[in-house]
PDB file of all heavy atoms in Angstrom:
ATOM      1  N   THR A 219     124.372 156.842 142.922  1.00 95.00           N
ATOM      2  CA  THR A 219     124.353 157.815 144.011  1.00 95.00           C
ATOM      3  C   THR A 219     123.550 157.282 145.193  1.00 95.00           C
ATOM      4  O   THR A 219     123.968 157.409 146.351  1.00 95.00           O
ATOM      5  CB  THR A 219     123.760 159.155 143.520  1.00 95.00           C
ATOM      6  OG1 THR A 219     124.543 159.620 142.419  1.00 95.00           O
ATOM      7  CG2 THR A 219     123.736 160.191 144.617  1.00 95.00           C
ATOM      8  N   GLU A 220     122.405 156.657 144.907  1.00 96.00           N
ATOM      9  CA  GLU A 220     121.569 156.101 145.974  1.00 96.00           C
ATOM     10  C   GLU A 220     122.279 154.953 146.689  1.00 96.00           C
ATOM     11  O   GLU A 220     122.264 154.872 147.921  1.00 96.00           O
ATOM     12  CB  GLU A 220     120.231 155.627 145.403  1.00 96.00           C
ATOM     13  CG  GLU A 220     119.271 155.134 146.452  1.00 96.00           C
ATOM     14  CD  GLU A 220     117.932 154.705 145.888  1.00 96.00           C
ATOM     15  OE1 GLU A 220     117.784 154.636 144.651  1.00 96.00           O
ATOM     16  OE2 GLU A 220     117.032 154.419 146.705  1.00 96.00           O
ATOM     17  N   VAL A 221     122.917 154.058 145.925  1.00 96.00           N
ATOM     18  CA  VAL A 221     123.634 152.929 146.526  1.00 96.00           C
ATOM     19  C   VAL A 221     124.751 153.425 147.432  1.00 96.00           C
ATOM     20  O   VAL A 221     124.913 152.956 148.563  1.00 96.00           O
ATOM     21  CB  VAL A 221     124.191 151.979 145.431  1.00 96.00           C
ATOM     22  CG1 VAL A 221     125.225 151.027 145.992  1.00 96.00           C
ATOM     23  CG2 VAL A 221     123.067 151.206 144.781  1.00 96.00           C
ATOM     24  N   VAL A 222     125.527 154.367 146.949  1.00 96.00           N
ATOM     25  CA  VAL A 222     126.653 154.887 147.738  1.00 96.00           C
ATOM     26  C   VAL A 222     126.147 155.580 149.013  1.00 96.00           C
ATOM     27  O   VAL A 222     126.702 155.372 150.105  1.00 96.00           O
ATOM     28  CB  VAL A 222     127.525 155.835 146.888  1.00 96.00           C
ATOM     29  CG1 VAL A 222     128.524 156.582 147.739  1.00 96.00           C
ATOM     30  CG2 VAL A 222     128.242 155.045 145.799  1.00 96.00           C
ATOM     31  N   ALA A 223     125.087 156.375 148.899  1.00 95.00           N
ATOM     32  CA  ALA A 223     124.550 157.071 150.076  1.00 95.00           C
ATOM     33  C   ALA A 223     124.012 156.073 151.099  1.00 95.00           C
ATOM     34  O   ALA A 223     124.280 156.201 152.308  1.00 95.00           O
ATOM     35  CB  ALA A 223     123.451 158.049 149.660  1.00 95.00           C
ATOM     36  N   LEU A 224     123.280 155.081 150.628  1.00 96.00           N
ATOM     37  CA  LEU A 224     122.746 154.075 151.548  1.00 96.00           C
ATOM     38  C   LEU A 224     123.860 153.258 152.195  1.00 96.00           C
ATOM     39  O   LEU A 224     123.858 153.027 153.401  1.00 96.00           O
ATOM     40  CB  LEU A 224     121.760 153.155 150.822  1.00 96.00           C
ATOM     41  CG  LEU A 224     120.393 153.753 150.508  1.00 96.00           C
ATOM     42  CD1 LEU A 224     119.632 152.888 149.517  1.00 96.00           C
ATOM     43  CD2 LEU A 224     119.579 153.915 151.780  1.00 96.00           C
ATOM     44  N   ARG A 225     124.816 152.846 151.393  1.00 95.00           N
ATOM     45  CA  ARG A 225     125.902 151.991 151.892  1.00 95.00           C
ATOM     46  C   ARG A 225     126.835 152.731 152.844  1.00 95.00           C
ATOM     47  O   ARG A 225     127.223 152.195 153.888  1.00 95.00           O
ATOM     48  CB  ARG A 225     126.699 151.446 150.709  1.00 95.00           C
ATOM     49  CG  ARG A 225     127.846 150.507 151.125  1.00 95.00           C
ATOM     50  CD  ARG A 225     128.777 150.212 149.989  1.00 95.00           C
ATOM     51  NE  ARG A 225     129.471 151.459 149.624  1.00 95.00           N
ATOM     52  CZ  ARG A 225     129.937 151.716 148.415  1.00 95.00           C
ATOM     53  NH1 ARG A 225     129.791 150.853 147.446  1.00 95.00           N
ATOM     54  NH2 ARG A 225     130.560 152.850 148.155  1.00 95.00           N
ATOM     55  N   ASP A 226     127.180 153.948 152.505  1.00 96.00           N
ATOM     56  CA  ASP A 226     128.205 154.659 153.269  1.00 96.00           C
ATOM     57  C   ASP A 226     127.665 155.509 154.410  1.00 96.00           C
ATOM     58  O   ASP A 226     128.398 155.777 155.372  1.00 96.00           O
ATOM     59  CB  ASP A 226     129.036 155.547 152.340  1.00 96.00           C
ATOM     60  CG  ASP A 226     129.819 154.734 151.321  1.00 96.00           C
ATOM     61  OD1 ASP A 226     129.949 153.506 151.497  1.00 96.00           O
ATOM     62  OD2 ASP A 226     130.304 155.335 150.335  1.00 96.00           O
ATOM     63  N   GLU A 227     126.410 155.959 154.319  1.00 95.00           N
ATOM     64  CA  GLU A 227     125.904 156.882 155.328  1.00 95.00           C
ATOM     65  C   GLU A 227     124.704 156.327 156.092  1.00 95.00           C
ATOM     66  O   GLU A 227     124.725 156.238 157.319  1.00 95.00           O
ATOM     67  CB  GLU A 227     125.516 158.206 154.655  1.00 95.00           C
ATOM     68  CG  GLU A 227     126.695 158.916 154.014  1.00 95.00           C
ATOM     69  CD  GLU A 227     126.278 160.076 153.136  1.00 95.00           C
ATOM     70  OE1 GLU A 227     125.138 160.564 153.272  1.00 95.00           O
ATOM     71  OE2 GLU A 227     127.097 160.501 152.310  1.00 95.00           O
ATOM     72  N   ILE A 228     123.660 155.949 155.393  1.00 95.00           N
ATOM     73  CA  ILE A 228     122.397 155.607 156.047  1.00 95.00           C
ATOM     74  C   ILE A 228     122.447 154.230 156.707  1.00 95.00           C
ATOM     75  O   ILE A 228     122.038 154.076 157.863  1.00 95.00           O
ATOM     76  CB  ILE A 228     121.237 155.715 155.031  1.00 95.00           C
ATOM     77  CG1 ILE A 228     121.159 157.163 154.543  1.00 95.00           C
ATOM     78  CG2 ILE A 228     119.924 155.266 155.650  1.00 95.00           C
ATOM     79  CD1 ILE A 228     120.223 157.388 153.396  1.00 95.00           C
ATOM     80  N   LEU A 229     122.956 153.233 156.003  1.00 96.00           N
ATOM     81  CA  LEU A 229     123.003 151.871 156.548  1.00 96.00           C
ATOM     82  C   LEU A 229     123.882 151.782 157.801  1.00 96.00           C
ATOM     83  O   LEU A 229     123.452 151.190 158.804  1.00 96.00           O
ATOM     84  CB  LEU A 229     123.462 150.891 155.471  1.00 96.00           C
ATOM     85  CG  LEU A 229     123.284 149.407 155.751  1.00 96.00           C
ATOM     86  CD1 LEU A 229     121.836 149.084 156.083  1.00 96.00           C
ATOM     87  CD2 LEU A 229     123.744 148.583 154.566  1.00 96.00           C
ATOM     88  N   PRO A 230     125.079 152.360 157.805  1.00 96.00           N
ATOM     89  CA  PRO A 230     125.871 152.309 159.045  1.00 96.00           C
ATOM     90  C   PRO A 230     125.169 153.012 160.223  1.00 96.00           C
ATOM     91  O   PRO A 230     125.245 152.540 161.369  1.00 96.00           O
ATOM     92  CB  PRO A 230     127.171 153.026 158.678  1.00 96.00           C
ATOM     93  CG  PRO A 230     127.280 152.894 157.206  1.00 96.00           C
ATOM     94  CD  PRO A 230     125.870 152.921 156.710  1.00 96.00           C
ATOM     95  N   GLY A 231     124.489 154.117 159.940  1.00 95.00           N
ATOM     96  CA  GLY A 231     123.754 154.822 160.998  1.00 95.00           C
ATOM     97  C   GLY A 231     122.615 153.982 161.546  1.00 95.00           C
ATOM     98  O   GLY A 231     122.398 153.927 162.768  1.00 95.00           O
ATOM     99  N   ALA A 232     121.854 153.341 160.670  1.00 96.00           N
ATOM    100  CA  ALA A 232     120.746 152.493 161.103  1.00 96.00           C
ATOM    101  C   ALA A 232     121.260 151.286 161.878  1.00 96.00           C
ATOM    102  O   ALA A 232     120.652 150.863 162.871  1.00 96.00           O
ATOM    103  CB  ALA A 232     119.921 152.045 159.898  1.00 96.00           C
ATOM    104  N   GLN A 233     122.388 150.732 161.435  1.00 96.00           N
ATOM    105  CA  GLN A 233     122.995 149.594 162.130  1.00 96.00           C
ATOM    106  C   GLN A 233     123.453 150.007 163.531  1.00 96.00           C
ATOM    107  O   GLN A 233     123.204 149.308 164.515  1.00 96.00           O
ATOM    108  CB  GLN A 233     124.185 149.046 161.326  1.00 96.00           C
ATOM    109  CG  GLN A 233     124.837 147.823 161.936  1.00 96.00           C
ATOM    110  CD  GLN A 233     123.993 146.580 161.831  1.00 96.00           C
ATOM    111  OE1 GLN A 233     123.321 146.355 160.822  1.00 96.00           O
ATOM    112  NE2 GLN A 233     123.998 145.781 162.882  1.00 96.00           N
ATOM    113  N   ALA A 234     124.109 151.161 163.634  1.00 96.00           N
ATOM    114  CA  ALA A 234     124.579 151.644 164.932  1.00 96.00           C
ATOM    115  C   ALA A 234     123.400 151.944 165.861  1.00 96.00           C
ATOM    116  O   ALA A 234     123.451 151.632 167.070  1.00 96.00           O
ATOM    117  CB  ALA A 234     125.439 152.890 164.741  1.00 96.00           C
ATOM    118  N   THR A 235     122.338 152.530 165.328  1.00 95.00           N
ATOM    119  CA  THR A 235     121.151 152.821 166.135  1.00 95.00           C
ATOM    120  C   THR A 235     120.528 151.540 166.655  1.00 95.00           C
ATOM    121  O   THR A 235     120.144 151.451 167.833  1.00 95.00           O
ATOM    122  CB  THR A 235     120.123 153.618 165.301  1.00 95.00           C
ATOM    123  OG1 THR A 235     120.727 154.829 164.857  1.00 95.00           O
ATOM    124  CG2 THR A 235     118.877 153.936 166.108  1.00 95.00           C
ATOM    125  N   TYR A 236     120.402 150.543 165.797  1.00 96.00           N
ATOM    126  CA  TYR A 236     119.829 149.257 166.218  1.00 96.00           C
ATOM    127  C   TYR A 236     120.691 148.618 167.306  1.00 96.00           C
ATOM    128  O   TYR A 236     120.167 148.130 168.314  1.00 96.00           O
ATOM    129  CB  TYR A 236     119.683 148.305 165.034  1.00 96.00           C
ATOM    130  CG  TYR A 236     119.323 146.911 165.468  1.00 96.00           C
ATOM    131  CD1 TYR A 236     118.064 146.635 165.995  1.00 96.00           C
ATOM    132  CD2 TYR A 236     120.246 145.876 165.395  1.00 96.00           C
ATOM    133  CE1 TYR A 236     117.734 145.357 166.419  1.00 96.00           C
ATOM    134  CE2 TYR A 236     119.926 144.592 165.814  1.00 96.00           C
ATOM    135  CZ  TYR A 236     118.671 144.340 166.324  1.00 96.00           C
ATOM    136  OH  TYR A 236     118.346 143.077 166.763  1.00 96.00           O
ATOM    137  N   GLU A 237     122.007 148.595 167.117  1.00 95.00           N
ATOM    138  CA  GLU A 237     122.888 147.979 168.114  1.00 95.00           C
ATOM    139  C   GLU A 237     122.799 148.698 169.451  1.00 95.00           C
ATOM    140  O   GLU A 237     122.778 148.065 170.515  1.00 95.00           O
ATOM    141  CB  GLU A 237     124.324 147.950 167.590  1.00 95.00           C
ATOM    142  CG  GLU A 237     124.519 146.959 166.460  1.00 95.00           C
ATOM    143  CD  GLU A 237     125.878 147.078 165.771  1.00 95.00           C
ATOM    144  OE1 GLU A 237     126.690 147.946 166.181  1.00 95.00           O
ATOM    145  OE2 GLU A 237     126.121 146.298 164.821  1.00 95.00           O
ATOM    146  N   ALA A 238     122.742 150.034 169.404  1.00 95.00           N
ATOM    147  CA  ALA A 238     122.633 150.804 170.650  1.00 95.00           C
ATOM    148  C   ALA A 238     121.279 150.555 171.316  1.00 95.00           C
ATOM    149  O   ALA A 238     121.197 150.418 172.547  1.00 95.00           O
ATOM    150  CB  ALA A 238     122.818 152.285 170.363  1.00 95.00           C
ATOM    151  N   THR A 239     120.217 150.469 170.532  1.00 95.00           N
ATOM    152  CA  THR A 239     118.879 150.226 171.076  1.00 95.00           C
ATOM    153  C   THR A 239     118.795 148.818 171.659  1.00 95.00           C
ATOM    154  O   THR A 239     118.204 148.619 172.731  1.00 95.00           O
ATOM    155  CB  THR A 239     117.811 150.414 169.978  1.00 95.00           C
ATOM    156  OG1 THR A 239     117.962 151.702 169.401  1.00 95.00           O
ATOM    157  CG2 THR A 239     116.413 150.286 170.545  1.00 95.00           C
ATOM    158  N   GLU A 240     119.395 147.861 170.993  1.00 94.00           N
ATOM    159  CA  GLU A 240     119.375 146.487 171.494  1.00 94.00           C
ATOM    160  C   GLU A 240     120.144 146.401 172.821  1.00 94.00           C
ATOM    161  O   GLU A 240     119.705 145.737 173.769  1.00 94.00           O
ATOM    162  CB  GLU A 240     119.992 145.531 170.467  1.00 94.00           C
ATOM    163  CG  GLU A 240     119.930 144.077 170.895  1.00 94.00           C
ATOM    164  CD  GLU A 240     120.622 143.149 169.907  1.00 94.00           C
ATOM    165  OE1 GLU A 240     121.616 143.567 169.285  1.00 94.00           O
ATOM    166  OE2 GLU A 240     120.163 142.011 169.792  1.00 94.00           O
ATOM    167  N   LEU A 241     121.277 147.065 172.895  1.00 95.00           N
ATOM    168  CA  LEU A 241     122.056 147.088 174.132  1.00 95.00           C
ATOM    169  C   LEU A 241     121.246 147.758 175.245  1.00 95.00           C
ATOM    170  O   LEU A 241     121.199 147.260 176.389  1.00 95.00           O
ATOM    171  CB  LEU A 241     123.388 147.821 173.909  1.00 95.00           C
ATOM    172  CG  LEU A 241     124.312 147.904 175.122  1.00 95.00           C
ATOM    173  CD1 LEU A 241     124.770 146.510 175.553  1.00 95.00           C
ATOM    174  CD2 LEU A 241     125.510 148.781 174.811  1.00 95.00           C
ATOM    175  N   GLY A 242     120.579 148.857 174.910  1.00 95.00           N
ATOM    176  CA  GLY A 242     119.732 149.545 175.896  1.00 95.00           C
ATOM    177  C   GLY A 242     118.584 148.669 176.357  1.00 95.00           C
ATOM    178  O   GLY A 242     118.198 148.698 177.538  1.00 95.00           O
ATOM    179  N   TYR A 243     118.022 147.881 175.478  1.00 94.00           N
ATOM    180  CA  TYR A 243     116.930 146.972 175.844  1.00 94.00           C
ATOM    181  C   TYR A 243     117.446 145.879 176.780  1.00 94.00           C
ATOM    182  O   TYR A 243     116.799 145.549 177.772  1.00 94.00           O
ATOM    183  CB  TYR A 243     116.310 146.357 174.588  1.00 94.00           C
ATOM    184  CG  TYR A 243     115.328 145.255 174.882  1.00 94.00           C
ATOM    185  CD1 TYR A 243     114.080 145.551 175.430  1.00 94.00           C
ATOM    186  CD2 TYR A 243     115.653 143.924 174.636  1.00 94.00           C
ATOM    187  CE1 TYR A 243     113.178 144.535 175.711  1.00 94.00           C
ATOM    188  CE2 TYR A 243     114.772 142.912 174.918  1.00 94.00           C
ATOM    189  CZ  TYR A 243     113.530 143.214 175.455  1.00 94.00           C
ATOM    190  OH  TYR A 243     112.644 142.202 175.751  1.00 94.00           O
ATOM    191  N   ARG A 244     118.632 145.302 176.464  1.00 93.00           N
ATOM    192  CA  ARG A 244     119.189 144.234 177.303  1.00 93.00           C
ATOM    193  C   ARG A 244     119.539 144.759 178.699  1.00 93.00           C
ATOM    194  O   ARG A 244     119.465 144.015 179.676  1.00 93.00           O
ATOM    195  CB  ARG A 244     120.428 143.632 176.654  1.00 93.00           C
ATOM    196  CG  ARG A 244     120.051 142.605 175.594  1.00 93.00           C
ATOM    197  CD  ARG A 244     121.234 141.811 175.105  1.00 93.00           C
ATOM    198  NE  ARG A 244     121.815 142.546 173.964  1.00 93.00           N
ATOM    199  CZ  ARG A 244     123.091 142.594 173.680  1.00 93.00           C
ATOM    200  NH1 ARG A 244     123.954 141.963 174.400  1.00 93.00           N
ATOM    201  NH2 ARG A 244     123.512 143.276 172.643  1.00 93.00           N
ATOM    202  N   GLU A 245     119.931 146.009 178.764  1.00 93.00           N
ATOM    203  CA  GLU A 245     120.264 146.595 180.063  1.00 93.00           C
ATOM    204  C   GLU A 245     119.033 147.112 180.794  1.00 93.00           C
ATOM    205  O   GLU A 245     119.110 147.572 181.928  1.00 93.00           O
ATOM    206  CB  GLU A 245     121.272 147.730 179.871  1.00 93.00           C
ATOM    207  CG  GLU A 245     122.636 147.249 179.414  1.00 93.00           C
ATOM    208  CD  GLU A 245     123.611 148.387 179.155  1.00 93.00           C
ATOM    209  OE1 GLU A 245     123.197 149.574 179.199  1.00 93.00           O
ATOM    210  OE2 GLU A 245     124.774 148.084 178.890  1.00 93.00           O
ATOM    211  N   GLY A 246     117.875 147.062 180.136  1.00 92.00           N
ATOM    212  CA  GLY A 246     116.630 147.478 180.765  1.00 92.00           C
ATOM    213  C   GLY A 246     116.350 148.963 180.671  1.00 92.00           C
ATOM    214  O   GLY A 246     115.401 149.459 181.285  1.00 92.00           O
ATOM    215  N   LYS A 247     117.123 149.703 179.912  1.00 93.00           N
ATOM    216  CA  LYS A 247     116.933 151.147 179.782  1.00 93.00           C
ATOM    217  C   LYS A 247     115.871 151.504 178.748  1.00 93.00           C
ATOM    218  O   LYS A 247     115.274 152.573 178.823  1.00 93.00           O
ATOM    219  CB  LYS A 247     118.250 151.826 179.401  1.00 93.00           C
ATOM    220  CG  LYS A 247     119.326 151.690 180.439  1.00 93.00           C
ATOM    221  CD  LYS A 247     120.606 152.331 179.959  1.00 93.00           C
ATOM    222  CE  LYS A 247     121.724 152.116 180.975  1.00 93.00           C
ATOM    223  NZ  LYS A 247     122.999 152.622 180.507  1.00 93.00           N
TER     224      LYS A 247
END
Side-chain angles (χ1 to χ4, degrees):
T219 302
E220 184 178 8
V221 165
V222 169
L224 286 167
R225 181 192 66 207
D226 296 345
E227 297 169 18
I228 298 171
L229 193 55
Q233 183 71 38
T235 301
Y236 170 70
E237 289 170 0
T239 305
E240 183 184 33
L241 181 64
Y243 171 72
R244 278 190 271 146
E245 292 177 353
K247 297 177 184 175

